[in-house]
Amino acid sequence: MTRSEGGFVKYQSTKIFCLLTSAFCLASGQAAAQAYPSKPIRFIVPWSAGSGTDLMARAFAQELSKAIGQPVVLDNRGGAGATIGTELAAKALSDGTVIYIGGSVSMVMSPVIYPKVGYDPVKDFAPVSVVSRFYNAAAVHPSMPVKTVKELIALARSRPGEIVMGSAGNGSTSHIAGELFQSMTKTKMLHVPYKGGGQLVIAVLAGEAQVSFSPVSTAINHAKTGKLRMLGVSSVERLASLPDVPAIAETVPGYQFGGWQGILVPAGTPQEIVKRLNAAILKAIHTQEFRDYLAREGSVLVGSTPDEFSAFLRAEVTKLTPIIRASGAKAE
């Protein structure tokens, strides 16, 4: 055998080995996906028990367990703006036995306002499906001489730095929604961060804070009793649950801000398992029980493909990172 013939045989042998290896890996991945899940799923929730995300996760886990045929066990790891639980999820096994609920705070805001986080929201996770979105409402104390978003803008421009805009804390959704509003309307209000949504509500009801951009679910009950006046919501269009409340975008074209929640898995999770999970999640969130839960909370059902979620996450990071940095928000 000549040297050239020997080289050719070696090349062919290597090629055949690679093909066999690839076929074996593909078959193994498909077999694992077909058997998936064969044991309970650990569901990392980066917020404490009793929080809004935790309650939603519990309602979701109940439906997912039915859809996928295995127990879904919550593992609450709250603290540090959801970064503790998120880092844990990023470093978890990538075999489909661990899922994680991420959102606008943990995946977009906290990586900017905390000096060091142990994860990259884009590189360290494989998005599976967006579950829901919740929106914020521009609300004022009834003593404020404004009844529309247009009037709020005019008043804020006439009194720069005087109107107190309360938030649930630096980097919270209520803070960033307000910062985006000011950026797009060329207004300047005095930001006062409170320690959580509960304290913010108390401050606004007392007139200590004159304006807030709290989640709709927080403001709606007080608006119904006349203790708050809702001027607009941060969705692109009016919410079906609040048809008489205008979208802020009707006055400020292009304004949109909403928190979101979605299911992700650690990067490296086999695509076949991601697809199986996506199908189970879509089945779970479209049950009447889960739909009713979201409606009670003022949230909007979404559902998506993994690719759609990935594109959405990247767009959110690109859009909001400069706004968060410009706000000067830092971890408290």
Side-chain angles (χ1 to χ4, degrees), residues 123-292:
K123 296 179 181 179
D124 291 338
F125 291 91
V128 184
S129 177
V130 180
V131 172
S132 64
R133 293 206 69 165
F134 61 91
Y135 296 97
N136 295 57
V140 299
H141 187 270
S143 64
M144 285 282 284
V146 296
K147 293 185 178 180
T148 65
V149 170
K150 184 177 181 179
E151 291 176 352
L152 175 61
I153 293 170
L155 183 65
R157 286 176 177 170
S158 69
R159 295 166 52 189
E162 294 181 20
I163 297 174
V164 175
M165 182 192 79
S167 79
N170 283 322
S172 64
T173 57
S174 52
H175 178 200
I176 303 307
E179 292 293 340
L180 180 61
F181 179 83
Q182 292 176 86
S183 173
M184 295 185 68
T185 59
K186 294 181 172 56
T187 56
K188 181 62 179 176
M189 292 182 271
L190 177 62
H191 173 230
V192 176
Y194 291 86
K195 293 184 177 180
Q199 288 193 15
L200 171 61
V201 169
I202 292 172
V204 178
L205 293 178
E208 181 181 311
Q210 298 158 301
V211 181
S212 75
F213 288 80
S214 299
V216 169
S217 58
T218 300
I220 188 169
N221 289 331
H222 298 297
K224 287 179 179 179
T225 59
K227 295 178 180 179
L228 284 180
R229 182 181 300 139
M230 292 177 64
L231 306 182
V233 291
S234 65
S235 50
V236 175
E237 300 176 343
R238 299 188 184 204
L239 297 175
S241 57
L242 294 169
D244 295 329
V245 180
I248 295 173
E250 293 177 30
T251 303
V252 186
Y255 182 87
Q256 179 191 13
F257 182 86
W260 53 268
Q261 294 160 323
I263 304 301
L264 306 96
V265 291
T269 300
Q271 282 300 304
E272 290 299 322
I273 288 179
V274 171
K275 291 179 182 177
R276 176 78 192 276
L277 261 175
N278 177 262
I281 289 169
L282 293 179
K283 182 178 179 180
I285 65 177
H286 282 91
T287 59
Q288 192 59 51
E289 292 81 0
F290 191 69
R291 284 175 175 271
D292 290 344

Side-chain angles (χ1 to χ4, degrees), residues 316-332:
E316 285 284 282
V317 170
T318 300
K319 172 185 174 182
L320 295 177
T321 294
I323 294 171
I324 299 168
R325 285 180 175 155
S327 75
K330 299 293 181 184
E332 298 172 327

